[in-house]
Amino acid sequence: MKSLRLMWISPVLLLPRTFGANSSGPSNNFRLVKAALSLMLLLSVLAAATGASAQENTSGDSSTPLVYSVENTGANFAAPVFPSFGQLPIIRPLPDAFRFADGSRDTSFTSWERRRNEIKAAIEKYEIGPKPDCSDCTITASYTPPTSTAKGVLTVHVTRNGKTITLTEGVYIPSGVGSGPYPALITMTFFAFGNGPNYGSLPSSSFAGLPVATVDFLHNQVAAYSFSSPSNHTNDPFYQLYPELCAGVCSGTSNSGEYAAWSWGVSRVIDGMAIAAKQAVNPLPIDMRHLAVTGCSYAGKMALFAGAFDERVGLTIAQENGGGGAPSWRVTDEIEADHASEDIKRTDYNWFAGQMKQFASPNVYKLPTDHDELMAMVAPRALLETGNTDFYWLSNRSNYVSARATQQIYNAFGIGDRFGFYIDGGHNHCATLPAEAPAITAYVNKFMLGHATVNTDVEVFPTNPPLTYDYTKLDYSRWTAWWGTNDPKFPNDWNPGDGTVVLSMTRPLDINSGGTVLAGYDLTMPDGHPAATLSLAGGSVQTDVSCADGTSYTLAIPLPSQSYSIPANDDSWFPSPNQNSPLVYQGTATAAVCSGGVAKTTYFSALGSGPAFTFGGPGFPTTDKADPLNVRFHCSGSDKGAGGSWSPTTTVNYIPK
């Protein structure tokens, strides 16, 4: 892991010079969990790699557009022809964001729109299903100004194939701050409350005194949020317009999930805003060049997809969005215990398309894209995304790795100050601490109000154990170290110091169709240690198999959780030093049908286990953390290839918090 130079900064430094003291205002926030701010404030840092400036690369800011006037500027780029699921290659690290489907690579911004549309096509094909462009729709809209007792109302009618759906969205127009047109925050919301502004889960203090309008997006008018999965959505307005995108209960293998539907709905609201802004009488006083979207939790994912898929959105603020949002699917699978976080197997398949299920572990590494690229689809527009370490299921560590990868993409274009991440804790889900408000205000000032000199270099993450894990110890760079090469492999093992490990061994291993594959591990401690109990929790061996016909798959060999009693001063290997002993082949699995199967790389994973959606570690519980614990593993599929020979020995790290 690259060392980090840490710079302590006060949150006040994120304030624009024209911003005064925070003040409380009316709050109409929709929260999934009632916000109760904690008195405990996690320390945060602004971090940059050693030898680099603490500031992001902003060399392209003056020449790179901040927003566009159309939904998709790259709509004319044809989607690539993707291989079948079986033919998709296995990529364990994050896929190279700059590598095109044809194998070429280009980091220039001039090529980004084409690459962005390839990412869009992959996410639609494999994750959410198609988001229609409404080119075959008729759209009309009107705006009714607010009265003394009610907010304004934007009404949008969308007609396709003789069917019409109607969207009615509340519009708050600020008073006493000029005559407009005003930048507008479009809020993903279940209900619209009261007559005041709807900032979603963002703190009202971030908008105090600022001339910002808000527009509701009542997502149930497009597709209803469901509390069980799968649910029947065939009567929802979106699927009435697009019945071809809903197979049965919208959980088939070619449907569009609700994130496609909801993103489509946000785009239709923006269409309606553009129409109503030009109506002859009482036009909607919204500045269409300064639109933002926001939401939290499932609605944070909704905001992220909406901002990624519509280039008329200048700023996306996605709060605590969890798996399926900012966190990488494959990083979550690689470093989190089973059941600990929202992954492909456990996400809500009302939200995502049924075809994504085929990528559940261990096949997640066949996804041709990941969610650092979903976030990068927002580029060159602005994105601020957040996490909350108090809720482990949000997969905050994966969020951090994914955010660092997205940061690389923004920096490659010289617009590093347009992407920020804020991962803290000490508060309820979808709440914020006062320290976060200035960062949000900075993004609002810069990208909604046009104050170009505001500092938006926001990189906040936990560094203060024992309250939470020290993220400076997370080797995020290992997931992107291969970018720019032709060999998608990790440069090192995952051994972060919390008793979890993911180790790899590169040796040829023949995997015969229908054959039994054996795998296991061995443990030892040095002479002089006290009597100890060593355990494995949440262990498995995975091997990536390439078949003669060009297909590939990952074979997972589960290992049982078990313990070993090690006598004092005993430095022998447990359960056996003999690599041919059945004791050290603790797991077996049957290979799939595959002609000429060869595995080049095999992985040993010890990630712990625990109650659902809680931290599952350590993978190696031990009564003696003061002495080194050494581990090796092996795998055997036949008498050929590796033949069960041991991997190099690795010491499991136990770094005190």
Side-chain angles (χ1 to χ4, degrees), residues 445-459:
N445 267 293
K446 190 166 192 172
F447 301 111
M448 296 187 75
L449 298 175
H451 301 322
T453 60
V454 174
N455 178 10
T456 51
D457 186 5
V458 177
E459 305 168 26

Side-chain angles (χ1 to χ4, degrees), residues 242-440:
Y242 296 95
E244 68 273 20
L245 297 181
C246 187
V249 292
C250 304
S251 60
T253 58
S254 61
N255 65 288
S256 282
E258 288 187 293
Y259 284 128
W262 288 328
S263 298
W264 175 92
V266 173
S267 291
R268 304 296 70 83
V269 169
I270 295 174
D271 288 341
M273 292 168 66
I275 294 169
K278 297 178 181 178
Q279 70 185 35
V281 179
N282 292 322
L284 177 68
I286 296 297
D287 179 358
M288 296 300 296
R289 299 288 292 181
H290 291 92
L291 303 180
V293 292
T294 191
C296 186
S297 196
Y298 81 96
K301 289 190 258 286
M302 193 188 309
L304 179 56
F305 277 103
F309 278 72
D310 196 318
E311 294 184 284
R312 294 171 294 184
V313 175
L315 170 62
T316 299
I317 304 177
Q319 286 183 273
E320 298 184 33
N321 42 85
S328 155
W329 289 124
R330 55 184 18 91
V331 175
T332 295
D333 190 81
E334 177 85 6
I335 69 173
E336 302 295 2
D338 193 35
H339 289 87
S341 299
E342 183 181 357
D343 57 17
I344 287 178
K345 185 185 299 183
R346 293 174 183 86
T347 193
D348 191 314
Y349 276 90
N350 293 295
W351 303 340
F352 292 92
Q355 55 265 33
M356 193 174 72
K357 291 181 180 179
Q358 64 190 328
F359 294 100
S361 183
N363 289 317
V364 62
Y365 306 104
K366 292 178 76 72
L367 269 175
T369 58
D370 216 318
H371 280 212
D372 59 310
E373 293 166 281
L374 170 64
M375 288 195 286
M377 279 182 63
V378 178
R381 297 161 294 125
L383 169 61
L384 176 65
E385 65 93 4
T386 75
N388 184 344
T389 56
D390 284 20
F391 298 87
Y392 200 85
W393 52 268
L394 291 173
S395 199
N396 295 284
R397 298 191 301 172
S398 177
N399 184 346
Y400 177 65
V401 171
S402 190
R404 287 297 193 186
T406 305
Q407 187 179 53
Q408 287 189 50
I409 300 167
Y410 270 77
N411 275 328
F413 302 143
I415 53 173
D417 58 337
R418 300 185 191 182
F419 172 73
F421 60 93
Y422 201 111
I423 303 172
D424 69 350
H427 57 83
N428 282 354
H429 185 38
C430 294
T432 58
L433 293 174
E436 188 176 344
I440 297 167

Side-chain angles (χ1 to χ4, degrees), residues 493-519:
D493 291 327
W494 174 254
N495 195 358
D498 59 2
T500 65
V501 292
V502 180
L503 312 177
S504 64
M505 175 174 59
T506 303
R507 291 175 185 165
L509 181 67
D510 287 352
I511 303 292
N512 295 324
S513 174
T516 298
V517 179
L518 310 174

Side-chain angles (χ1 to χ4, degrees), residues 10-305:
S10 165
V12 176
L13 294 181
L14 296 173
L15 286 168
R17 294 182 180 180
T18 57
F19 185 73
N22 289 342
S23 60
S24 300
S27 176
N28 298 300
N29 296 353
F30 168 72
R31 293 183 172 90
L32 299 179
V33 181
K34 183 179 179 181
L37 296 181
S38 169
L39 296 178
M40 183 178 295
L41 174 62
L42 291 178
L43 300 177
S44 61
V45 297
L46 179 66
T50 296
S53 168
Q55 296 296 316
E56 298 297 339
N57 179 5
T58 60
S59 60
D61 267 347
S62 62
S63 59
T64 307
L66 286 163
V67 72
Y68 298 94
S69 59
V70 295
E71 183 176 341
N72 182 14
T73 60
N76 292 327
F77 288 115
V81 177
F82 293 104
S84 66
F85 174 79
Q87 296 280 343
L88 285 169
I90 295 170
I91 302 175
R92 287 259 167 179
L94 289 172
D96 189 337
F98 299 107
R99 188 172 300 279
F100 287 85
D102 63 8
S104 62
R105 188 175 193 271
D106 192 337
T107 61
S108 68
F109 179 69
T110 55
S111 296
W112 179 243
E113 195 56 59
R114 180 166 73 93
R115 175 61 188 141
R116 177 184 171 276
N117 271 267
E118 285 194 353
I119 297 168
K120 173 180 179 292
I123 290 174
E124 287 182 317
K125 179 175 178 63
Y126 296 118
E127 294 195 45
I128 65 170
K131 175 203 170 188
D133 62 9
C134 224
S135 57
D136 57 350
C137 303
T138 300
I139 303 173
T140 60
S142 61
Y143 167 66
T144 302
T147 66
S148 59
T149 59
K151 288 199 290 190
V153 177
L154 172 69
T155 303
V156 184
H157 302 287
V158 184
T159 301
R160 179 179 187 260
N161 293 338
K163 295 183 178 180
T164 299
I165 69 171
T166 300
L167 309 176
T168 54
E169 314 295 358
V171 179
Y172 166 78
I173 301 299
S175 59
V177 286
S179 59
Y182 303 100
L185 178 71
I186 303 172
T187 307
M188 315 294 109
T189 189
F190 208 114
F191 303 109
F193 295 102
N195 299 326
N198 183 358
Y199 301 128
S201 296
L202 300 177
S204 58
S205 61
S206 292
F207 297 87
L210 300 182
V212 174
T214 68
V215 178
D216 300 334
F217 173 62
L218 296 170
H219 56 68
N220 276 13
Q221 293 182 349
V222 175
Y225 181 93
S226 298
F227 294 93
S228 62
S229 178
S231 297
N232 192 339
H233 291 279
T234 53
N235 292 322
D236 283 356
F238 173 81
Y239 298 110
Q240 285 289 296
L241 285 191
Y242 296 95
E244 68 273 20
L245 297 181
C246 187
V249 292
C250 304
S251 60
T253 58
S254 61
N255 65 288
S256 282
E258 288 187 293
Y259 284 128
W262 288 328
S263 298
W264 175 92
V266 173
S267 291
R268 304 296 70 83
V269 169
I270 295 174
D271 288 341
M273 292 168 66
I275 294 169
K278 297 178 181 178
Q279 70 185 35
V281 179
N282 292 322
L284 177 68
I286 296 297
D287 179 358
M288 296 300 296
R289 299 288 292 181
H290 291 92
L291 303 180
V293 292
T294 191
C296 186
S297 196
Y298 81 96
K301 289 190 258 286
M302 193 188 309
L304 179 56
F305 277 103

Side-chain angles (χ1 to χ4, degrees), residues 413-566:
F413 302 143
I415 53 173
D417 58 337
R418 300 185 191 182
F419 172 73
F421 60 93
Y422 201 111
I423 303 172
D424 69 350
H427 57 83
N428 282 354
H429 185 38
C430 294
T432 58
L433 293 174
E436 188 176 344
I440 297 167
T441 301
Y443 270 75
V444 170
N445 267 293
K446 190 166 192 172
F447 301 111
M448 296 187 75
L449 298 175
H451 301 322
T453 60
V454 174
N455 178 10
T456 51
D457 186 5
V458 177
E459 305 168 26
V460 177
F461 54 93
T463 64
N464 60 326
L467 299 180
T468 187
Y469 190 83
D470 184 352
Y471 278 37
T472 63
K473 296 184 175 70
L474 292 181
D475 184 3
Y476 62 85
S477 63
R478 68 189 294 269
W479 271 272
T480 59
W482 81 279
W483 287 11
T485 76
N486 293 317
D487 191 6
K489 66 180 182 182
F490 291 113
N492 51 26
D493 291 327
W494 174 254
N495 195 358
D498 59 2
T500 65
V501 292
V502 180
L503 312 177
S504 64
M505 175 174 59
T506 303
R507 291 175 185 165
L509 181 67
D510 287 352
I511 303 292
N512 295 324
S513 174
T516 298
V517 179
L518 310 174
Y521 62 95
D522 231 4
L523 305 172
T524 186
M525 298 182 70
D527 187 32
H529 68 82
T533 299
L534 308 180
S535 303
L536 172 72
S540 69
V541 169
Q542 295 185 5
T543 188
D544 295 334
V545 183
S546 298
C547 306
D549 61 0
T551 61
S552 63
Y553 72 98
T554 296
L555 177 66
I557 305 126
L559 301 173
S561 297
Q562 57 191 130
S563 299
Y564 303 98
S565 296
I566 313 297

